[in-house]
């Protein structure tokens, strides 16, 4: 099982995404990055 | 000067005068005394060497230190008053805490009831606003935070930005911290948030052993819990028992450092060596024989009440281990969870807590376990959860009735506000003013505690230093007077 890895456009979005993911996957590894505005959000999983 | 500085604030970097239970005072604001005195009682400074390394440090920080040292990374736990010695060379500040913002139990409850910020949150804020931390950030150091209160950062994004927190690690961090610190040292991008899931949790063989002494000699014997209570975060972790050899190596570290006692830590010490919810006598006896080889004073962190009842009724195990540890006039303390006196609520939120007994028998399991411990001079410090989702007034009344029935048994009972963790992490936070039933329950707990407090204080403080003995005695008499005057207790 690989780690769920997600990018968010800012800190607040990162919090929001992280909270949703941990509720959905309480026992999976999750990492959320904050990227600069010119990067797009993506899900590597 | 170390590259990775591991630290925390004064309410954590202390041994509470060698009295673990005094540490609970750091979860409250100062009551009946000035803050400096409250801090001196609850969180005295710890002795350090010339580098600023404390002679005892919180066990969780010692584990992170051990993981980094095992990976060949230059890391050390540093006392917050000695950060300036390391800060110019530090590339990473790793910070841990039990309750960063006083949002956990019981801090949040004291905050609501008194309307004042507990000293743990205040002390942590002071740490983060120290000039040394700001200087480290200016020099490009990365701040990584973790520990059991890591989840609290999700509610404080403003402070993450203000203080420049780079990464939050939520969960067992010993494997992940090595990866994140390596990235930080090589200038790679760091995740803002990490949840450590089963794929990254260390296996038994991957759990590093502490290299330097832990606060009050605490050593872990097991991790995880098989009971799966819905409000608990530990339940999401796999159950692992340390081998006796692993435990012995950590006991040795603490004895070599000069500690005189140890605390055996697990979410349920009585399940050490078991493969489920049935205590096994042989591993428990061997564990205590081992600890006795190293220390005269041995403490426990947590028991489950159903395990107390089962272990005594089937193997006389409680009698056997208390005979091993206790001298004639002594008591020994342990934390236990009652959580509710309502069989309905027990069935819904903690269906396996009573096992091998039925969830509906929970109140009688609690009473039997308290009775067994009272006879053996084991003193439970028990928690009750107030405001858990789905709680009805009649559930609170059942808890109140149970507290009344526990009156004959030497113990402390502390009501704690519900904080969303474990499988209830998405539920609403309980921060409202208490209802009448909840107030009655809190009063019943206070009445119970005041009934036993003199007996317990006499035992707990008999070997304490005169300053601590006098301060706590004075505090107890002030609490009694206030309870009588304002609450008619």
């Amino acid at each position: 099982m690989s780690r769920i890895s997600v990018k968010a456009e800012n800190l607040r979005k990162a919090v929001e995404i992280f909270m949703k993911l941990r509720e959905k996957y309480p026992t999976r590894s999750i990492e959320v990055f904050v990227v600069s505005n010119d990067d797009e959000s993506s899900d590597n999983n | 000067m170390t590259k990775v500085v591991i630290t925390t604030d004064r309410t954590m970097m202390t041994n509470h005068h060698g009295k673990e239970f005094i540490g609970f005072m750091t979860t409250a604001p100062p009551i009946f005394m000035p803050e400096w005195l409250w801090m001196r009682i609850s969180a005295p400074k710890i002795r350090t060497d010339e580098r600023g390394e404390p002679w005892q440090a919180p066990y969780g920080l010692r584990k992170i230190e051990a993981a980094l040292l095992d990976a060949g990374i230059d890391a050390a736990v540093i006392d917050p008053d000695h950060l300036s010695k390391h800060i110019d060379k530090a590339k990473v500040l790793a910070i841990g805490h039990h309750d960063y913002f006083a949002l956990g139990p019981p801090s949040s409850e004291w905050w609501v009831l008194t309307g004042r910020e507990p000293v743990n949150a205040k002390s942590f804020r002071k740490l983060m606003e120290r000039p040394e931390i700001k200087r480290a950030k200016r020099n490009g150091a990365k701040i990584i935070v973790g520990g059991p209160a890591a989840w609290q950062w999700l509610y404080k994004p403003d402070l993450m930005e203000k203080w420049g927190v780079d990464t939050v690690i939520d969960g067992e961090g010993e494997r992940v911290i090595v990866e994140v610190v390596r990235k930080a040292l090589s200038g790679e991008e760091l995740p803002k948030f990490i949840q450590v899931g089963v794929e990254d949790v260390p296996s038994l063989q991957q759990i590093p052993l502490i290299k330097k002494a832990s606060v009050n000699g605490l050593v872990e014997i097991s991790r995880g819990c098989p009971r799966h209570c819905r409000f608990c975060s530990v339940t999401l972790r796999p159950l692992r028992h340390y081998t006796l050899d692993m435990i012995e190596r950590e006991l040795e570290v603490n004895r070599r450092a000069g500690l005189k006692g140890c605390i055996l830590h697990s979410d349920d010490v009585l399940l050490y060596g078991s493969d489920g919810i049935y205590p096994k006598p042989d591993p428990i006896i061997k564990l205590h024989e081992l600890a006795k080889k190293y220390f005269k004073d041995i403490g426990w962190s947590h028991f489950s009440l159903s395990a107390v009842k089962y272990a005594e009724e089937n193997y006389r195990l409680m009698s056997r281990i208390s005979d091993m540890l206790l001298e004639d006039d002594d008591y020994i303390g342990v934390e236990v969870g009652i959580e509710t006196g309502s069989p309905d609520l027990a069935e819904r939120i903690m269906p396996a807590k009573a096992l091998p007994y039925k969830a509906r028998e929970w109140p009688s399991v609690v009473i039997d376990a308290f009775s067994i411990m009272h006879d053996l001079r084991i003193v439970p410090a028990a928690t009750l959860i107030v405001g858990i989702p789905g709680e009805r007034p009649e559930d609170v009344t059942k808890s109140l009735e149970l507290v009344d029935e526990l009156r004959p048994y030497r113990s402390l009972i502390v009501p704690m506000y519900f904080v969303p963790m474990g499988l209830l992490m998405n539920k609403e936070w309980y921060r409202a003013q208490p209802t009448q039933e909840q107030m009655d329950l809190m009063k019943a707990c206070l009445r119970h505690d005041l009934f036993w407090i003199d007996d317990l204080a006499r035992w707990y403080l008999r070997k304490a230093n005169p300053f601590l003995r006098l301060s706590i005695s004075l505090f107890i008499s002030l609490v009694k007077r206030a309870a009588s005057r304002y609450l008619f207790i």
Side-chain angles (χ1 to χ4, degrees):
Chain A
M1 210 161 30
S2 63
R3 195 180 290 177
I4 299 169
S5 188
V6 180
K7 291 182 178 175
E9 63 200 34
N10 58 43
L11 181 58
R12 268 147 198 81
K13 283 270 181 212
V15 170
E16 202 178 297
I17 291 168
F18 187 70
M19 283 178 129
K20 276 187 188 152
L21 285 172
R22 69 203 284 263
E23 190 186 331
K24 195 168 176 190
Y25 305 106
T27 59
R28 290 280 304 275
S29 282
I30 300 163
E31 59 184 7
V32 178
F33 291 84
V34 173
V35 293
S36 55
N37 289 339
D38 48 337
D39 284 336
E40 281 180 20
S41 282
S42 67
D43 185 341
N44 297 335
N45 191 44
Chain B
M1 282 176 286
T2 184
K3 268 190 190 167
V4 181
V5 169
I6 304 162
T7 195
T8 187
D9 76 87
R10 178 61 61 214
T11 59
M12 297 282 298
M13 197 73 85
T14 173
N15 69 350
H16 317 289
H17 299 280
K19 299 279 177 193
E20 199 69 13
F21 198 72
I22 299 285
F24 275 104
M25 288 176 72
T26 64
T27 66
I31 300 168
F32 305 131
M33 59 181 85
E35 188 175 312
W36 66 266
L37 182 56
W38 190 264
M39 284 292 284
R40 197 166 156 214
I41 296 169
S42 62
K45 290 186 180 187
I46 190 108
R47 195 178 78 220
T48 66
D49 64 13
E50 68 282 1
R51 279 166 46 89
E53 288 195 49
W55 83 285
Q56 298 171 37
Y59 188 78
L61 299 191
R62 287 298 193 212
K63 283 293 197 195
I64 294 300
E65 179 185 55
L68 293 170
L69 290 172
D70 284 347
I73 296 169
D74 172 26
V77 176
I78 301 295
D79 184 273
D81 287 351
H82 295 264
L83 290 175
S84 60
K85 294 174 183 168
H86 301 271
I87 224 69
D88 289 328
K89 293 281 179 205
K91 303 282 181 218
V92 174
L93 288 181
I95 299 173
H97 209 288
H98 187 73
D99 201 356
Y100 289 104
F101 303 106
L103 301 179
S107 315
S108 57
E109 179 179 8
W110 303 134
W111 199 335
V112 170
L113 292 176
T114 64
R116 290 158 58 216
E117 186 182 27
V119 293
N120 51 5
K122 224 168 165 178
S123 170
F124 179 67
R125 193 172 61 246
K126 281 184 190 163
L127 169 77
M128 295 308 285
E129 292 183 351
R130 274 174 177 256
E132 297 96 314
I133 303 265
K134 288 180 183 164
R135 200 162 84 227
K137 279 310 291 180
R138 274 201 304 274
N139 292 344
K142 301 292 183 190
I143 297 183
I144 300 166
V145 297
W151 59 273
Q152 296 184 3
W153 290 96
L154 293 168
Y155 300 88
K156 301 285 176 183
D158 295 347
L159 291 177
M160 283 185 71
E161 274 175 345
K162 182 182 175 190
W163 294 333
V165 171
D166 294 281
T167 300
V168 177
I169 300 175
D170 187 13
E172 291 179 39
E174 291 110 323
R175 276 179 67 195
V176 168
I177 189 70
V178 173
E179 173 195 326
V180 175
V181 166
R182 280 200 175 122
K183 279 185 179 173
L185 293 175
S186 60
E188 287 176 57
E189 185 188 7
L190 299 181
K192 200 52 110 178
F193 297 104
I194 299 177
Q195 169 171 284
V196 182
V198 285
E199 57 267 50
D200 286 310
V201 159
S203 64
L204 182 67
Q205 292 72 25
Q206 290 168 329
I207 294 176
L209 300 179
I210 59 169
K211 312 283 184 273
K212 297 168 194 173
S214 58
V215 168
N216 295 326
L218 186 141
V219 294
E220 192 172 47
I221 58 164
S222 311
R223 253 185 221 190
C225 174
R227 294 192 186 273
H228 303 294
C229 299
R230 294 178 58 78
F231 50 82
C232 182
S233 55
V234 174
T235 205
L236 300 173
R237 300 174 192 164
L239 180 64
R240 286 143 292 165
H241 301 295
Y242 282 45
T243 62
L244 289 174
D245 176 58
M246 291 168 79
I247 296 166
E248 183 160 20
R249 283 159 66 191
E250 295 203 336
L251 290 170
E252 269 172 351
V253 165
N254 283 329
R255 189 172 68 177
R256 215 179 309 124
L259 276 136
K260 302 290 181 217
C262 74
I263 299 170
L264 303 175
H265 180 277
S266 162
D267 299 296
D268 188 349
V269 171
L270 294 175
L271 292 188
Y272 175 71
S274 77
D275 40 20
I277 47 88
Y278 296 95
K280 284 186 176 171
D282 194 41
I284 301 279
I285 296 291
K286 282 188 175 146
L287 170 70
H288 286 79
E289 284 170 350
L290 173 66
K292 281 298 278 183
K293 254 174 64 184
Y294 284 85
F295 296 107
K296 185 166 170 284
D297 289 331
I298 295 165
W300 301 304
S301 64
H302 302 82
F303 286 169
S304 63
L305 294 166
S306 39
V308 168
K309 177 174 157 74
Y310 185 85
E312 184 63 10
E313 289 180 352
N314 288 276
Y315 308 111
R316 283 195 67 255
L317 188 55
M318 303 308 300
S319 301
R320 289 160 70 189
I321 57 175
S322 62
D323 280 350
M324 290 170 76
L325 304 192
L326 281 168
E327 291 176 355
D328 289 345
D329 60 342
D330 213 357
Y331 297 148
I332 183 168
V334 68
E335 285 181 47
V336 301
I338 300 173
E339 320 312 3
T340 181
S342 159
D344 287 346
L345 201 53
E347 258 185 337
R348 269 185 286 137
I349 63 165
M350 45 186 218
K353 198 166 175 73
L355 286 175
Y357 310 98
K358 292 187 178 113
R360 295 207 67 80
E361 294 169 0
W362 178 242
S364 66
V365 170
V366 174
I367 293 167
D368 290 350
F370 269 60
S371 167
I372 290 165
M373 289 190 280
H374 179 85
D375 292 344
L376 296 172
R377 305 195 311 281
I378 298 170
V379 183
T383 53
L384 267 171
I385 302 177
V386 174
I388 203 152
E391 177 192 270
R392 303 159 306 171
E394 52 268 39
D395 295 318
V396 184
T397 303
K398 289 279 183 196
S399 293
L400 201 151
E401 288 166 5
L402 179 59
V403 170
D404 284 342
E405 286 197 69
L406 295 175
R407 182 69 170 266
Y409 309 117
R410 191 185 302 106
S411 54
L412 291 175
I413 304 176
V414 184
M416 296 204 185
Y417 277 0
F418 169 71
V419 172
M421 289 193 272
L423 294 172
L424 297 179
M425 67 170 79
N426 60 332
K427 296 293 178 192
E428 199 176 322
W429 210 310
Y430 191 81
R431 298 208 64 173
Q433 285 299 321
T435 62
Q436 187 56 51
E437 290 83 4
Q438 290 167 342
M439 266 317 280
D440 290 343
L441 176 60
M442 289 190 222
K443 277 191 195 176
C445 292
L446 183 60
R447 196 178 304 118
H448 175 97
D449 295 345
L450 291 178
F451 179 75
W452 284 107
I453 197 71
D454 290 330
D455 184 21
L456 295 177
R458 227 182 346 263
W459 151 65
Y460 196 66
L461 297 171
R462 75 196 188 291
K463 290 180 191 164
N465 65 53
F467 162 75
L468 190 63
R469 219 166 31 231
L470 183 69
S471 315
I472 298 289
S473 303
L474 183 66
F475 176 65
I476 290 171
S477 63
L478 290 169
V479 171
K480 278 183 177 173
R481 194 180 301 175
S484 158
R485 185 176 296 175
Y486 303 113
L487 298 173
F488 309 106
I489 290 172

